[in-house]
Amino acid sequence: QVQLVESGGGLVQPGGSLRLSCAASTRLYIRTMGWYRQAPGKQRDLVATITSVGSTNYADSVKGRFTISRDNAKNTVYLQMNSLKSDDTAVYYCNALVGPVDLWGQGTQVTVSS
C-alpha cells in the first residue's frame, strides 16, 4: 500500500519560513504531486502542484512566497514557504496521483503566530 509521509510543519512567526517534505513509499511513476491546505472551518484548497517534468501551478495567495519542487528519483515533493502570514495557518496535505489512485498524506500543521 502506497503511503505519503509528510514532515516539516510547526510554529513560526509572521515573516518566517518553513519547508515541508512529502515522500511517497513507491517507485512507481507519479505524474503530479502537490500540496493543499485546510484552515479551521474552511474547505481544502490548492496550494501548489508540480508535474514530473517540472511544470508548476500556484494559488494566487502564495505566488512569489512559496516554491514547490520535487525529486523524481525519490518520489519526494517539497514546499518552501517564505514570508509566512497568519492566513497561511492551516493543516497542509500532500497529494499524489499514482496511476488512477489519488493519494493523500495525513497532514501536517503549520501555525503562523507571534
Side-chain angles (χ1 to χ4, degrees), residues 31-54:
R31 190 177 77 87
T32 302
M33 301 185 78
W35 292 93
Y36 292 71
R37 66 186 181 187
Q38 187 168 18
K42 296 187 177 181
Q43 66 181 20
R44 188 175 298 187
D45 290 327
L46 167 75
V47 176
T49 60
I50 185 167
T51 69
S52 60
V53 295

Side-chain angles (χ1 to χ4, degrees), residues 3 21 24 26 42-43 47 50 54 66 68 70 72 89 93:
Q3 293 183 321
S21 300
T26 179
K42 296 187 177 181
Q43 66 181 20
V47 176
I50 185 167
F66 291 10
I68 190 169
R70 66 186 282 179
N72 289 332
T89 295
Y93 295 91

Side-chain angles (χ1 to χ4, degrees), residues 6-7 14 18 26 28 43 51 69 81 94-96 99 103 109:
E6 300 149 341
S7 61
L18 280 176
T26 179
L28 294 175
Q43 66 181 20
T51 69
S69 60
M81 304 184 293
C94 177
N95 173 263
L103 293 177
Q109 177 70 46

Side-chain angles (χ1 to χ4, degrees), residues 74-90:
K74 297 180 180 179
N75 269 348
T76 298
V77 64
Y78 307 94
L79 186 68
Q80 178 66 44
M81 304 184 293
N82 299 328
S83 302
L84 283 160
K85 308 174 182 178
S86 58
D87 287 348
D88 296 318
T89 295

